[in-house]
Amino acid sequence: MDKFDQRILDILHCDARKSVSDIAREVNLSRSAVTARIKKLEDDKVILGYHANIAKKEEVKNVCAYLALKYDTSKSQRHCEKYSQRIYEIDGVKWCHAISGETDMMLYVEVDSMARLNEIRDELHTLPELRHLMTHTVLTEFFNTTRQD
């Protein structure tokens, strides 16, 4: 095995779907020479196969959103207390805060799909005194100091 074979292996290790033409350009050999080298590496059992690198479930990006809830203006703090346990039981809701200002309650949700986010919204809309629900979908997370990665 020479430097060309090693470079071909390095390229295939990074991208097993790279075309022979692209590999040939990168290693500065003809397509036929690269094809012959790959075939020899396979025959010599240096290359045992080609595989897809699948992300682990925890690496798959979730749909994240903040949900702002506003209840009927009278007794809104009591509504927060009243519904916090029900909201706690909704799968995907990571945190829930009663807050000051125009919004009474802010939720943070992480789910695996937009469909699940819509299911949560539908479930929240069944809260009797809920007057307004606004969804703020996270587009990019720049940092999160609470993650245990």
Side-chain angles (χ1 to χ4, degrees), residues 16-130:
R17 296 185 56 170
K18 189 163 263 197
S19 71
V20 171
S21 297
D22 288 342
I23 296 170
R25 266 192 296 281
E26 285 189 45
V27 298
N28 207 19
L29 292 173
S30 68
R31 284 182 350 155
S32 59
V34 169
T35 301
R37 284 175 177 268
I38 291 173
K39 172 83 170 95
K40 181 163 179 9
L41 290 167
E42 291 170 344
D43 291 345
D44 291 346
K45 304 288 187 231
V46 175
I47 296 176
L48 299 176
Y50 300 88
H51 308 280
N53 190 8
I54 308 296
K56 296 176 187 158
K57 177 137 177 73
E58 59 270 10
E59 293 174 350
V60 175
K61 298 294 183 196
N62 289 330
V63 175
C64 303
Y66 294 90
L67 304 178
L69 286 69
K70 183 161 182 58
Y71 296 103
D72 288 336
T73 53
S74 64
K75 305 179 231 145
S76 63
Q77 183 61 35
R78 196 166 46 192
H79 295 322
C80 291
E81 293 170 18
K82 180 177 176 181
Y83 297 123
S84 63
Q85 182 59 41
R86 185 169 164 190
I87 291 169
Y88 175 79
E89 294 170 0
I90 298 173
D91 187 40
V93 177
K94 300 299 181 188
W95 53 257
C96 170
H97 296 284
I99 62 172
S100 62
E102 292 290 314
T103 299
D104 296 314
M105 187 178 271
M106 185 68 76
L107 312 179
Y108 176 72
V109 176
E110 276 187 27
V111 292
D112 60 359
S113 68
M114 289 299 286
R116 177 64 188 131
L117 179 60
N118 282 323
E119 289 170 1
I120 291 172
R121 286 177 42 82
D122 290 344
E123 188 169 346
L124 291 170
H125 275 295
T126 66
L127 298 174
E129 288 93 358
L130 184 67

